[in-house]
Amino acid sequence: MVRKVTKAIFPVAGMGTRFLPATKSVPKEIMTLVDRPLVQYAIDEARAAGITEFIFVTSRGKSALEDYFDHNLVLEQDLKSKGKDELLEVLNATNMESGAIAYIRQHKALGLGHAVWCARRLIGDEPFAVMLPDDVISADKPCLQQMVEAYEETGGNMVAAMEVPNEKTSSYGILDTGQNVGTVVRAKGMVEKPKPEDAPSNLAVIGRYILGPSVLYNLNQKKKGSGGEIQLTDAIAEDIGNGVPVFGYKFDGQRFDCGSKAGFLQATVSFALAREDLREDLNQYLHDIVSSDRAAQ
Ligand code: UTP
């Protein structure tokens, strides 16, 4: 029987250089889509999938992230005394149970694989999820929940997968698949950031994983891969060679790359348009600027 996945690692120790100068003092994961920080979307998705232990791999300068999950008693008291019940509810939904969150430091940004490895002692000998908060996925059924349900049937390792244009393969881990049919695709191999001419397919790995402890053993070797970093993709690919299956899960939903400025802006517009309180005004504004832009051309 496949063991239940109750732990998730959130690697947030990267430097977020694409958002400088903001990320000089604001962690990327605290930046907001409308009024909710990126990390809140990831936490909500994890909870929906049955995760009860949340492990953040952080680094210097990320204290705002730790503060975000603290109860703010002064603010709560103030809202209560003023009868602002709706806001109080918004705030309460972000509170985490004591002891549910752990923070581990990655002392040097040696790569995503290394960040995950830093959490090994808190994982022990059980399967775990990895979630990258800058991949935001809008879906009727949250992506990790879809994956957990599929994983209960398959076991092994599972990565979220999405088809990308051929010219974009060098931005992703890419799956080498035999037949690419159906929602769950067994991988024959995985390559980190291949050039389009070297890519075995255009099925890219997105920031949601369900992995077995064997991946952590593989990471013990701390082998450097693409870009001189210790890559999670390489450690998962090694499992394939050792006979542990790896499945790509083609999730149902729209993924936004909020680690890039263009993706972040698209997500902001999309999430704002999904909000009843903002939709009408924003729609009108977008319509007006697109029309005046067209008229100017
Ligand atoms: P990115 O490749 O997006 O890097 O990392 P980054 O530092 O966050 O952003 P840029 O490219 O400089 O703008 C993907 C994920 O892996 C984590 C990041 O925090 C992000 O969630 N990561 C990356 C680590 O935790 N440690 C690392 O050493 C590298």
Side-chain angles (χ1 to χ4, degrees):
M1 215 182 96
V2 174
R3 269 183 87 170
K4 209 167 149 32
V5 184
T6 59
K7 295 179 179 176
I9 302 177
F10 300 82
V12 293
M15 288 188 275
T17 53
R18 283 172 287 173
F19 280 95
L20 281 170
T23 41
K24 215 170 103 182
S25 69
V26 182
K28 179 169 66 172
E29 302 73 24
I30 284 292
M31 297 195 332
T32 55
L33 290 182
V34 188
D35 48 17
R36 288 152 60 80
L38 289 183
V39 71
Q40 187 66 54
Y41 292 92
I43 288 282
D44 291 349
E45 187 182 327
R47 275 179 163 156
I51 300 296
T52 51
E53 291 183 54
F54 306 83
I55 303 162
F56 282 82
V57 182
T58 69
S59 58
R60 206 181 178 77
K62 300 272 178 171
S63 48
L65 187 81
E66 300 189 19
D67 290 346
Y68 175 75
F69 289 112
D70 270 350
H71 290 225
N72 188 332
L73 297 178
V74 176
L75 186 55
E76 279 172 26
Q77 206 49 52
D78 188 61
L79 294 175
K80 211 177 273 171
S81 68
K82 291 180 180 150
K84 296 189 171 174
D85 294 342
E86 262 179 46
L87 284 179
L88 201 56
E89 236 170 79
V90 168
L91 204 60
N92 284 340
T94 67
N95 286 343
M96 299 293 283
E97 202 192 318
S98 291
I101 299 197
Y103 300 98
I104 293 277
R105 285 265 183 158
Q106 184 190 25
H107 294 110
K108 226 174 172 189
L110 296 177
L112 176 59
H114 181 260
V116 168
W117 177 81
C118 288
R120 68 199 177 283
R121 290 201 181 89
L122 293 180
I123 296 296
D125 196 26
E126 55 184 291
F128 58 98
V130 176
M131 300 183 76
L132 306 189
D134 45 13
D135 270 336
V136 175
I137 299 171
S138 153
D140 289 338
K141 182 187 279 188
C143 179
L144 191 67
Q145 189 183 347
Q146 296 175 37
M147 289 174 68
V148 163
E149 287 174 10
Y151 172 78
E152 281 164 4
E153 305 293 320
T154 63
N157 295 303
M158 184 171 276
V159 299
M162 180 181 104
E163 262 143 32
V164 296
N166 288 341
E167 66 275 13
K168 294 271 163 84
T169 56
S170 56
S171 304
Y172 296 91
I174 298 289
L175 294 174
D176 181 2
T177 59
Q179 265 192 330
N180 179 1
V181 283
T183 307
V184 181
V185 181
R186 187 158 176 175
K188 291 194 292 181
M190 275 171 95
V191 203
E192 186 61 26
K193 300 191 171 69
K195 288 190 202 132
E197 58 273 27
D198 300 329
S201 77
N202 65 344
L203 199 56
V205 178
I206 303 303
R208 303 286 182 277
Y209 308 76
I210 300 175
L211 304 174
S214 52
V215 173
L216 296 175
Y217 306 141
N218 300 342
L219 284 167
N220 277 335
Q221 302 161 48
K222 303 211 191 105
K223 273 192 216 149
K224 286 189 182 158
S226 165
E229 294 193 344
I230 299 169
Q231 297 288 357
L232 185 59
T233 300
D234 296 343
I236 302 171
E238 201 174 324
D239 254 11
I240 302 176
N242 295 336
V244 183
V246 174
F247 300 96
Y249 181 84
K250 291 193 261 172
F251 58 92
D252 195 13
Q254 190 179 3
R255 174 257 186 176
F256 295 95
D257 175 10
C258 291
S260 78
K261 282 179 257 213
F264 194 92
L265 289 171
Q266 286 159 14
T268 301
V269 173
S270 177
F271 279 71
L273 286 174
R275 287 263 299 251
E276 248 172 60
D277 56 331
L278 300 170
R279 185 182 302 135
E280 205 180 313
D281 281 356
L282 183 61
N283 233 330
Q284 186 60 52
Y285 173 71
L286 292 174
H287 180 265
D288 291 350
I289 53 171
V290 171
S291 313
S292 69
D293 193 45
R294 283 216 181 107
Q297 278 171 13

